[in-house]
Amino acid sequence: MENFTYNTPTLVRFGRDAESETGDLVLQQHCKKVLIHYGGNSAVRSGLLAKVEASLTEKGIEHLSLGGVVPNPRLSKVQEGIDLCRKEGVDFILAVGGGSVIDSAKAIALGVPYAGNVWDFYSGQETAKACLPVGAVLTIAAAGSEMSNSSVITKEEGDLKRGYRTELCRCRFAVMNPQLTCTLPDYQTQSGCVDILMHTMERFFGGVPTMALTDGIAVALLQTVMKCAKILKQEPDNYEARAEVMWAGSLSHNGLTGCGSDGGDWSSHQLEHELGGMFDVAHGAGLAAVWGSWARYVLPSDPQRFAAFATQVFGIAPSGTPTETALAGIEAMEAFYRSVDMPTSIKELGVEVSEEQIQILADKCSFQGSRTIGTFRPLNRDDMAAIYRMAKGD
Amino acid sequence: MENFTYNTPTLVRFGRDAESETGDLVLQQHCKKVLIHYGGNSAVRSGLLAKVEASLTEKGIEHLSLGGVVPNPRLSKVQEGIDLCRKEGVDFILAVGGGSVIDSAKAIALGVPYAGNVWDFYSGQETAKACLPVGAVLTIAAAGSEMSNSSVITKEEGDLKRGYRTELCRCRFAVMNPQLTCTLPDYQTQSGCVDILMHTMERFFGGVPTMALTDGIAVALLQTVMKCAKILKQEPDNYEARAEVMWAGSLSHNGLTGCGSDGGDWSSHQLEHELGGMFDVAHGAGLAAVWGSWARYVLPSDPQRFAAFATQVFGIAPSGTPTETALAGIEAMEAFYRSVDMPTSIKELGVEVSEEQIQILADKCSFQGSRTIGTFRPLNRDDMAAIYRMAKGD
């Protein structure tokens, strides 16, 4: 195992009607003016936005709003938020929404105190030294951004989707009411479940020996999410299942399932980021579409680890070579994806990707051949292209 | 499941030589003067204290020391610390030791800004409103105080051992190097493992329906600790096993294994606190001595929950009535305790307790009959006496 740092400062209020406590939580931050950042009309239609605004007003907290965040949130909206915060003297950002909204809020928070262009952080040219405080009222269980140290932004010019990690941007608090997720369409619910699974699987396949406790927690989380995803397929308003998935979403990406394993692999995420940048697909669905191909491609580097995954997560009895057990585990995972109508190829994602586009995806994902991705097996541009080709699905 | 709050603000640095980062971590707290609080001579002999002092001096941080904390830490030492901190203008307390030292540090931190007697918090007469910041360099895996919101202090007058919980006292940071625990005597190691197990079991038996994810994490933690306790019996300097136990100690008491279950039962802890106050026994060993009797006494209130414990933790196949499966689980737990030379009765703890003493224990534990303890089944003074009698062991 590796040394590790564990940092989860986010105060969580979890449960029914938790959003009514938002005003109290913001008040404890001793800020002067709050930007409420949100996405589309659902926050307005559902009455959530009005409820949150009322909660702040009741506590005498000055606030203004900025909506319009889209999935795969855009740099232009982030810049609009930065300009607004500076003009209005905002000193706290409250995200009301899912991962896209929280990521956009984090990017604004990083941009306000920075003299240059906030994209400098996402392009890897600069390291953030300051960040406005951020809080979240979560409406989608998926990205785990409410407790994570990361955010992902898409720059329209060049369709570049990039992530940035810093401890500075961890939310001060997260309000999580599973009831708010009960009306999500099934595709979005299942896509969220895949994202949650993948945040733990990226860490499980970090490529270094980890801790038995970390593996045990990871297995419990994966099994719980798969079980509940199937329940939600039949009963979308099952509160208990929504709650399990929502809490799993936070624990899957706050660092807990990576303790001792030094960070994780993240190749599937990087490969999906390029797909998301080019085709604007749902993030979780994109992950499901590439994971099996990634897994089969890298499996020879450590069949035992994949065999352990098969045995521990799916209870598959070891038989034959470790590779055979490993392949049975990959197939079991893909069978789960299919059982909840998630894709296992790019074609099933609704995208026909050409060989020319595969080259562009690999070029972008490898920063024009200047970087590798992943730790289980480091992947160069050719590897990336090969995996996209395997995942193409025709 | 119940609504819950999750609050784990403690920054953890975990791994080999982590203590060398202490100076950096204290520096980030922007304090003026640090009290280094420690226990007996082992911190001095091992060179740890000198290393920590050097780490602070190197960063230009002013500091002074107060040692002499004993197991079941005393109110008189806490008062000595409070007086010293006030006299010297200390504004940060660094605990170097195990749970007793951290608990003593937390009590000092609560006492310094409070005009009255710090015991007021532990006796339940007052609620703390302020607390000096505390950090910890952990040397014993057991109490989980490094990430918990609680501390337990013994008042010499009347042998009163009482706990107090407040979010204010959570450590700002915890430095955890499993190497530091490799030289612990086996009895202390195993006693620590029991304490860790019990922090999760108290929550598992909280008496209300909880979350599948919480149960899954709890089971993973219990199984890992039992496996590693047995390894450490044979190989006390096995780093990996020490690391698993140390990290489990923190996760077992930081709130993670109680999410959705509203706090936990804590009867075994309360019953043991009285034993500890009267006989000064090792806390974990005391817990092992009373748990089986508590379990058999309360089992009829919900045999299914104990059967689930048997099945999930020990893989016992359900057979006969739930009560039969449940009893097999309790026996499996006691068999584990015996396998690591932990007691399953007060007699095996080395204490002959008389009927008169049992009455005194029950009187004290029930605050002279004025309170019940526990949530799985609330216990009054007569119940407490009955359990002590069952646990007596003759």
Side-chain angles (χ1 to χ4, degrees), chain A residues 13 32 50 82 102 108 287 353:
Chain A
R13 296 272 190 208
K32 290 196 195 105
I82 293 170
I102 302 172
I108 294 170
L287 289 168
V353 63

Side-chain angles (χ1 to χ4, degrees), chain A residues 1 3-8 10-16 211-213 216-217 220-221 240 243-244 247-248 251 259, chain B residues 1 3-8 10-16 211-213 216-217 220-221 240 243-244 247-248 251 259:
Chain A
M1 61 165 289
N3 284 8
F4 64 86
T5 294
Y6 186 69
N7 183 35
T8 54
T10 308
L11 175 73
V12 174
R13 296 272 190 208
F14 193 101
R16 295 174 198 272
M211 300 177 79
L213 181 53
I217 291 171
L221 189 148
E240 303 290 325
E244 300 279 359
W247 187 221
L251 296 185
C259 292
Chain B
M1 61 165 290
N3 284 7
F4 64 87
T5 294
Y6 186 68
N7 183 34
T8 55
T10 308
L11 174 73
V12 174
R13 297 273 190 207
F14 193 100
R16 294 174 197 274
M211 299 177 79
L213 180 53
I217 292 171
L221 189 148
E240 304 289 327
E244 300 280 0
W247 186 221
L251 296 186
C259 291

Side-chain angles (χ1 to χ4, degrees), chain A residues 126-138:
Chain A
E126 289 289 341
T127 301
K129 293 186 179 58
C131 185
L132 288 190
V134 178
V137 178
L138 188 64

Side-chain angles (χ1 to χ4, degrees), chain B residues 149-212:
Chain B
N149 65 355
S150 66
S151 60
V152 181
I153 297 296
T154 297
K155 185 183 185 181
E156 295 91 328
E157 192 189 332
D159 282 337
L160 293 174
K161 186 175 176 179
R162 295 281 178 267
Y164 181 60
R165 296 179 188 213
T166 167
E167 296 303 308
L168 295 172
C169 76
R170 296 218 190 231
C171 289
R172 300 296 177 96
F173 64 79
V175 171
M176 299 191 212
N177 176 0
Q179 294 171 307
L180 298 178
T181 68
C182 284
T183 52
L184 281 178
D186 182 64
Y187 188 78
Q188 211 173 344
T189 297
Q190 301 302 339
S191 184
C193 287
V194 175
D195 197 14
I196 293 167
L197 294 170
M198 282 299 304
H199 288 150
T200 287
M201 286 157 66
E202 296 275 21
R203 290 172 168 95
F204 190 92
F205 293 106
V208 293
T210 182
M211 299 177 79

